[in-house]
Amino acid sequence: MDENLKRYIELIPKAELHVHIEGTFEPELMFEIAQRNNVSLNYNSVEDLRKAYEFNSLQDFLDIYYGAANVLLHEQDFYDLTMAYLQRAHADNVVHTEIFFDPQTHTERGVSFETVINGISNALKDAKTQLGISSKLIMCFLRHLSEQSALETLEEALPYKHKIIAIGLDSSEKGNPPSKFFNAFNRVREEGFFVVCHAGEEGPAEYVWEAIDLLEAERIDHGVASIHDETLMDELRDRDIPLTVCPLSNLKLKVVDDLKQVPIKAFLDKGMLVTLNSDDPSYFGGYVNDNYLQTAKALNLSRNDIYTLAKNSFTASFITAEERNAFIEKLHTFDKNFR
Ligand code: ADE
Ligand code: ZN
C-alpha cells in the first residue's frame, strides 16, 4: 500500500463504535490476572492460548471468549482490562470510543454488576483525564439467554443508568432473532436508552429488519447480510441507520472467505453510514487501524473513502451535536494539513 495512505489511516482521528471489552483481553493480561486471582486457565501458556484462536464460526469463538472471561473477578481486573484497551486505542488515534460490556457473563458467575461497571467506568474516567480519550458505555444482553434474564439485567442496571448510553444484543445470533427480545427492548426504550443490535453477522437480512422495525435499533452492529437485500440497504440509508462493520472479525469467524467480500465499498457507494471497527481485537488479529489498513488494501480504498469512514464514525456516535461538530472540525483540520 501507498506509504502516504498508510500514514493517513494511522493518524486520522477516528471513533470506534463496536468493541467488546471482554474481546480486548490480551493473553498476557489474562495470565497475569489468572495468576493473581488463583484461577486456572485451560491453557499452559500465552502461545498455547493464541494457537487456539482458529475459529470456524461465531460459536467457536464465543466458547473461548466466555471461558477467558472467567478469570475476571474484582473491580481492579475490569479496570486493568479497560485501561489496557483505552491505551491501545489511543495509540491508533481513536479519540472517542463506545464500548460494549456483557454483564450476564459475569453476574452468572457471581460477580456483582457493581464490580463490573465500577471497574470499567473508573478506567473510562481516568483515560479521559490521562489520555484525552472520550467514551460511552453500551450494555449488551446475551441473546442465547432468555428474555426474562435480559429484563432482570435491565433492572440491575437501572441504578447505574447515568453510566450507560445504549443497550444492545450480542452473542449467538442464529436461532436467537431480535424478536425474541421485543418486550425487553420496549422496556429499554421506556427507560430512555438508545438501542443497538448485532444483526446480519451470521444471521440473515431478515434479522436486520427485525432489529430496526421491532426493536427500533438506532445502529446495527455488523449488518453485512444487508448486502443481499436492496430494499433493506435503501431503508438503512434513508433512515440514517449506521452499520458498525468489523472486517477482521468477519474474516476470522468465516463470515467471509476473503476481506474483498466485506461489502464496505458497496455500502459506501450506496451512501450508507458505514463505519469500521475491531469487535474483539485480541482474538481477531487487529485493532481498529489494522481493520482500516487491511480493508483499504483489500478493497483499494481511496483517501477520500478513509475520510468518509472516519467522518461516519463521528456522525454515528451517541454524542451531542456540539461534540460531533468539534470532532468533525478536528478531522477536517487534520485532512487539510496532511502531507
Ligand atoms: N460477542 C463478542 N463478539 C461478538 C460477535 N462478533 N458477535 C456476537 N456476539 C459477540
Ligand atoms: Zn460484536
Side-chain angles (χ1 to χ4, degrees):
M1 163 188 298
D2 174 69
E3 209 33 58
N4 229 34
L5 183 62
K6 179 168 180 285
R7 264 198 330 113
Y8 185 81
I9 288 173
E10 286 165 352
L11 297 176
I12 195 168
K14 53 189 78 72
E16 172 148 67
L17 305 179
H18 183 157
V19 59
H20 301 262
I21 202 60
E22 297 88 349
T24 69
F25 207 0
E26 290 288 346
E28 289 78 5
L29 184 61
M30 216 181 274
F31 273 87
E32 188 185 317
I33 294 181
Q35 197 165 29
R36 81 185 182 208
N37 286 346
N38 242 324
V39 182
S40 63
L41 279 164
N42 287 334
Y43 302 89
N44 291 323
S45 66
V46 164
E47 294 70 40
D48 250 24
L49 180 54
R50 281 219 164 87
K51 271 193 212 128
Y53 293 178
E54 288 293 332
F55 314 114
N56 285 311
S57 66
L58 173 58
Q59 195 58 51
D60 265 7
F61 153 70
L62 290 171
D63 292 342
I64 292 193
Y65 163 88
Y66 293 129
N70 286 340
V71 310
L72 298 163
L73 298 180
H74 308 295
E75 196 174 304
Q76 187 68 45
D77 306 339
F78 290 93
Y79 181 97
D80 292 348
L81 172 68
T82 308
M83 189 51 95
Y85 161 69
L86 291 162
Q87 284 166 343
R88 185 62 189 75
H90 178 65
D92 278 4
N93 289 300
V94 170
V95 292
H96 175 73
T97 177
E98 302 192 351
I99 300 175
F100 298 127
F101 75 115
D102 293 336
Q104 288 153 300
T105 300
H106 314 296
T107 52
E108 291 233 317
R109 304 179 285 116
V111 176
S112 76
F113 193 98
E114 183 185 19
T115 297
V116 178
I117 200 159
N118 284 351
I120 298 173
S121 60
N122 285 336
L124 299 181
K125 184 159 69 87
D126 288 352
K128 176 78 181 107
T129 327
Q130 293 166 19
L131 308 169
I133 184 165
S134 81
S135 58
K136 301 282 183 198
L137 201 46
I138 303 174
M139 175 173 97
C140 286
F141 299 138
L142 297 179
R143 68 202 307 160
H144 66 272
L145 300 179
S146 67
E147 182 175 53
Q148 186 53 35
S149 175
L151 281 161
E152 287 162 15
T153 303
L154 178 61
E155 289 308 313
E156 275 189 284
L158 290 181
Y160 308 95
K161 198 172 171 180
H162 56 290
K163 293 181 189 274
I164 299 170
I165 188 83
I167 299 200
L169 191 61
D170 66 2
S171 192
S172 323
E173 185 181 11
K174 283 184 187 161
N176 295 299
S179 50
K180 176 178 166 186
F181 294 89
F182 179 70
N183 297 305
F185 278 90
N186 275 342
R187 281 282 298 126
V188 163
R189 277 183 282 99
E190 267 170 27
E191 290 293 342
F193 295 102
F194 287 117
V195 172
V196 299
C197 186
H198 279 59
E201 179 186 16
E202 276 190 344
E206 184 53 41
Y207 284 17
V208 180
W209 280 112
E210 285 190 12
I212 61 173
D213 285 345
L214 297 181
L215 306 191
E216 301 180 27
E218 266 108 358
R219 210 157 75 192
I220 295 295
D221 298 313
H222 294 293
V224 286
S226 311
I227 193 67
H228 305 300
D229 185 336
E230 283 290 332
T231 317
L232 175 58
M233 288 195 285
D234 290 341
E235 188 83 1
L236 292 165
R237 181 198 52 214
D238 295 345
R239 284 164 63 179
D240 290 324
I241 300 175
L243 299 185
T244 63
V245 176
C246 308
L248 290 177
S249 165
N250 292 162
L251 184 64
K252 278 299 260 188
L253 301 184
K254 305 223 169 28
V255 169
V256 296
D257 302 321
D258 191 296
L259 277 183
K260 287 188 171 58
Q261 295 164 357
V262 181
I264 297 293
K265 194 70 185 146
F267 290 158
L268 281 172
D269 290 346
K270 267 260 173 202
M272 292 161 69
L273 260 172
V274 56
T275 66
L276 290 192
N277 310 272
S278 72
D279 204 7
D280 301 283
S282 94
Y283 292 92
F284 299 154
Y287 284 78
V288 72
N289 281 359
D290 301 307
N291 275 275
Y292 273 76
L293 287 165
Q294 293 192 44
T295 306
K297 189 159 166 235
L299 298 179
N300 224 345
L301 298 183
S302 65
R303 171 170 161 171
N304 193 47
D305 293 330
I306 300 301
Y307 183 85
T308 303
L309 289 166
K311 186 172 179 195
N312 286 351
S313 74
F314 297 117
T315 308
S317 292
F318 293 133
I319 51 181
T320 63
E322 201 178 7
E323 290 166 327
R324 190 182 331 282
N325 292 340
F327 281 131
I328 292 177
E329 182 61 35
K330 196 175 169 127
L331 182 68
H332 185 68
T333 307
F334 164 82
D335 181 65
K336 206 171 57 184
N337 296 329
F338 183 82
R339 297 271 176 276

